Amino acid sequence: MKYLSEYRDPELVQQYLNEIKATVTQPWTIMEVCGGQTHSLVKNGILELLPKEITMVHGPGCPVCVTPIHIIDKAVYLAEEKGVILCSFGDMLRVPGSEKSLLEAKANGADVRILYSPLEAVNIAKQNPDKEVVFFAVGFETTAPANALSVLHAKRQGVSNYSILASHVLVPPAIEALMRDPETVVQGFLAAGHVCTIMGLEEYETLPNKFNVPIVVTGFEPVDLLQGILMTVKQLEKGEHKLENQYTRMVKPNGNPDAQNMIHEVFTTKNRVWRGIGEIPMSGYEVRDDLKSFDANIKFDVQLEDTPEFAGCISGEIMKGLKKPMQCAHFGKECNPSNPLGAPMVSSEGACAAYFHFHQSHSEELV
Amino acid sequence: MCLAIPGKIKEINDVPNMGRMAKVQFGGIVKEASIEPLPAAKVGDYVLVHVGVAISIVDEEEAQKTFQYLREAGELDELEPESMNQIDTES
Ligand code: SF4
């Protein structure tokens, strides 16, 4: 397929690996922010192929993994107690809430539907005028235009039985929070290419200087990731810290202004709690006040107690890059993709699930 | 979840209240996507599609750069002549 297979070319992968080996002279720890990148690094065996000096740590970039337990409980409550048609992306269904997941609610008879796009949820609302339809709108900046557009479609078409339960998180405030953490081990970042496709580079411009850290906006295919790593390592070896863009075929400096306008038409920036990490200032989107009839939080005023995480889960330390999944006592034992105890074991983009699947297919130890 | 893949626009339709919708081909599959965030997109363009919405037009010229990057990094030539030789013989 054009613009995909070329970036998986084994020969080019090898050339990039050779160049990284020739460039690196000392140990460096680099974080890829996005779960899609984690998945690609693990699935393509790149972690094993990199020289031992380079340690990749896996950031908090899986929106499914960082959605707080009480929002999942709220979605389950809406599906079970309020009789709504609850729609979401497939990954979201298996995330454990405090008592059950949406998949378990579905098995008990609740109307929970997996959709490819939030735009489909508006059609479901049109087809079911006597029912309330809620889309569980999780995601980073990449997904925000689609979730916003679903609200705009509903508004333009006068569909009043549609609303979204927003759990939107933003990348730049998370990078700041990670770098402000005195325990941080991260020396360079691969920023999430698809997020920057929407938002552009501006929000990242001050970060490299502020925290003495190189940031390279990077794509998702093996060659993209290796080029991003090479660009980061070159900066680190030279003692530089600047913002660079590896993913120029998709990311323009000003991003996609039309998509940004859609986001601002529907959402406003607020503080947000990240599962496993805690509250990060101004790190999420909520539906604007003038569109509150499309905000499921307001439409269904559900007050649920916040429930603590499973205490043995070290997902917070994993997402900050302090520990690897195998250092969790529960990894692959009580906690596995069929019985996830923490969110990073649920989505294939979560670090724990990515490592678990890798272990299934390869016998070598990843350290 | 942030999976976004490039596909080719085959057809564009203006749908009332929904804006510009396109049929986008990914390999053998054709899917409907909104191209409302890309007012300049036209039939034949490759676009990056995420959860039913096209978010970027692939820049064909820039797409070549990843393949040229190693050769253009002339500084590496001086630093590591051996590795460059290896690349030259392999390519
Ligand atoms: S293996 Fe399970 S319990 Fe351990 S950190 Fe990962 S998700 Fe949490």
Side-chain angles (χ1 to χ4, degrees):
Chain A
M1 211 148 71
K2 203 169 173 201
Y3 299 119
L4 275 183
S5 52
E6 310 93 300
Y7 299 93
R8 296 175 183 172
D9 175 22
E11 211 171 292
L12 199 53
V13 164
Q14 191 55 50
Q15 289 175 12
Y16 268 107
L17 279 167
N18 292 347
E19 208 47 57
I20 293 170
K21 280 181 190 140
T23 308
V24 72
T25 66
Q26 54 183 299
W28 299 112
T29 300
I30 301 170
M31 174 177 277
E32 84 280 357
V33 174
C34 173
Q37 293 171 327
T38 306
H39 183 77
S40 181
L41 284 170
V42 175
K43 185 180 110 197
N44 292 296
I46 295 172
L47 298 181
E48 286 188 309
L49 298 171
L50 285 171
K52 61 175 184 338
E53 288 90 343
I54 298 173
T55 305
M56 297 302 297
V57 292
H58 318 300
C62 164
V64 173
C65 303
V66 299
T67 294
I69 224 162
H70 75 268
I71 304 188
I72 295 158
D73 286 347
K74 200 181 264 187
V76 169
Y77 180 87
L78 291 179
E80 286 196 329
E81 305 296 329
K82 295 281 180 180
V84 310
I85 302 177
L86 199 289
C87 308
S88 194
F89 301 122
D91 280 358
M92 217 47 231
L93 264 66
R94 291 175 48 241
V95 186
S98 59
E99 272 179 34
K100 63 179 84 158
S101 64
L102 280 167
L103 201 61
E104 288 164 290
K106 184 179 169 69
N108 293 344
D111 194 345
V112 177
R113 304 188 191 182
I114 298 175
L115 303 185
Y116 158 69
S117 166
L119 303 184
E120 296 167 29
V122 182
N123 284 335
I124 295 177
K126 280 197 291 191
Q127 288 154 9
N128 296 275
D130 53 334
K131 286 269 201 175
E132 282 293 331
V133 175
V134 176
F135 189 76
F136 194 176
V138 293
F140 275 108
E141 292 94 324
T142 321
T143 317
N147 288 337
L149 198 53
S150 77
V151 170
L152 296 175
H153 279 188
K155 187 181 164 206
R156 289 181 207 148
Q157 298 179 88
V159 180
S160 59
N161 59 328
Y162 177 70
S163 57
I164 62 173
L165 182 61
S167 176
H168 257 291
V169 276
L170 306 176
V171 170
I175 291 185
E176 279 223 48
L178 284 165
M179 290 316 290
R180 283 188 196 286
D181 190 325
E183 285 186 293
T184 191
V185 292
V186 180
Q187 294 168 298
F189 283 99
L190 304 186
H194 290 156
V195 166
C196 296
T197 298
I198 306 290
M199 304 307 288
L201 304 176
E202 202 192 315
E203 309 175 297
Y204 297 81
E205 260 152 25
T206 57
L207 295 175
N209 260 335
K210 198 162 169 185
F211 299 109
N212 288 331
V213 70
I215 300 182
V216 179
V217 175
T218 302
F220 293 75
E221 296 305 322
V223 170
D224 290 321
L225 288 160
L226 287 167
Q227 188 188 354
I229 292 169
L230 176 59
M231 291 164 85
T232 311
V233 170
K234 276 198 200 177
Q235 285 199 46
L236 288 167
E237 290 282 342
K238 288 189 204 154
E240 293 177 344
H241 40 82
K242 51 187 185 188
L243 176 67
E244 286 185 291
N245 182 8
Q246 178 277 329
Y247 204 35
T248 51
R249 68 184 183 279
M250 301 293 186
V251 176
K252 299 288 147 228
N254 60 346
N256 181 334
D258 290 278
Q260 289 166 26
N261 287 342
M262 282 172 194
I263 295 176
H264 299 312
E265 219 179 313
V266 174
F267 294 118
T268 167
T269 311
K270 293 265 171 75
N271 295 352
R272 180 155 279 279
V273 174
W274 297 49
R275 189 172 190 171
I277 291 184
E279 185 169 271
I280 303 179
M282 303 308 270
S283 69
Y285 287 141
E286 302 285 351
V287 179
R288 293 173 65 97
D289 284 348
D290 52 314
L291 289 168
K292 45 178 178 283
S293 61
F294 295 99
D295 185 345
N297 279 309
I298 292 173
K299 201 170 203 176
F300 311 92
D301 185 22
V302 183
Q303 302 294 343
L304 295 174
E305 297 257 316
D306 203 356
T307 14
E309 309 268 337
F310 163 61
C313 177
I314 59 162
S315 69
E317 284 162 283
I318 292 173
M319 288 188 282
K320 287 181 191 166
L322 301 174
K323 289 206 170 136
K324 292 277 181 176
M326 291 80 71
Q327 287 169 276
C328 173
H330 310 283
F331 176 78
K333 297 178 189 132
E334 311 93 284
C335 184
N336 57 64
S338 331
N339 180 41
L341 295 180
M345 190 55 100
V346 174
S347 160
S348 63
E349 292 173 9
C352 296
Y355 274 63
F356 183 88
H357 290 300
F358 181 82
H359 274 271
Q360 295 286 82
S361 50
H362 299 248
S363 52
E364 300 98 313
E365 264 298 286
L366 254 185
V367 187
Chain B
M1 136 112 245
C2 288
L3 183 72
I5 48 172
K8 191 176 189 175
I9 298 184
K10 304 301 279 183
E11 196 184 306
I12 295 177
N13 296 301
D14 250 312
V15 182
N17 293 323
M18 287 174 79
R20 292 207 318 155
M21 299 293 292
K23 293 203 183 341
V24 184
Q25 181 166 13
F26 307 92
I29 306 163
V30 175
K31 274 194 153 223
E32 193 92 29
S34 164
I35 51 167
E36 203 172 319
L38 297 172
K42 53 188 190 310
V43 171
D45 281 348
Y46 279 84
V47 287
L48 186 67
V49 178
H50 172 65
V51 300
V53 176
I55 54 177
S56 175
I57 302 176
V58 183
D59 186 323
E60 311 236 353
E61 215 171 286
E62 291 292 330
Q64 293 308 317
K65 292 203 174 156
T66 308
F67 311 120
Q68 293 158 5
Y69 179 80
L70 283 175
R71 273 169 214 92
E72 279 175 6
E75 59 196 277
L76 297 173
D77 218 341
E78 290 150 36
L79 279 176
E80 287 295 331
E82 278 170 35
S83 72
M84 282 309 281
N85 287 339
Q86 207 172 336
I87 289 164
D88 284 339
T89 49
E90 274 176 21
S91 56

